[in-house]
Amino acid sequence: MDGTMVGSEFLAPLAWAAVLREVGVAIPVGEAGEAEVGHLISTPAMRGTAALDLAKFLAAEYDISPEHTPDWLATRKRQVAVEQAMSGD
């Protein structure tokens, strides 16, 4: 994988919202949080964006602590997405 965001990435705002909450961002739980993150990551400017670049954008947008690097955010998002798929969330 080259890290390019595909259509399924746009279906993952729930995973991104969960990761952002893990690092202390005040993202609402449930549909409101999913909608907030979904709005940001599904803009036309974000289409085709690599997951790492999306993580950089979210880190800047939410002023995330540098201890949580974009690499870590993108990797953790993928882990959360798998966990959610396995649990049926």
Side-chain angles (χ1 to χ4, degrees), residues 21-88:
R21 279 193 296 277
E22 281 184 22
V23 299
V25 177
I27 298 290
V29 175
E31 290 183 24
E34 187 176 340
E36 179 180 330
V37 175
H39 174 73
L40 287 173
I41 68 172
S42 65
T43 63
M46 290 297 176
R47 295 198 187 276
T49 301
L52 181 59
D53 290 332
L54 183 55
K56 289 176 185 175
F57 167 77
L58 291 171
E61 182 72 21
Y62 289 106
D63 195 27
I64 294 172
S65 168
E67 75 180 86
H68 300 293
T69 66
D71 279 332
W72 183 89
L73 292 169
T75 299
R76 182 66 187 131
K77 182 264 170 195
R78 289 181 186 110
Q79 292 168 337
V80 168
V82 169
E83 291 166 6
Q84 289 172 342
M86 298 298 287
S87 69

Side-chain angles (χ1 to χ4, degrees), residues 6-21:
V6 294
S8 61
E9 189 74 24
F10 294 106
L11 302 176
L14 184 60
W16 277 114
V19 171
L20 292 173
R21 279 193 296 277

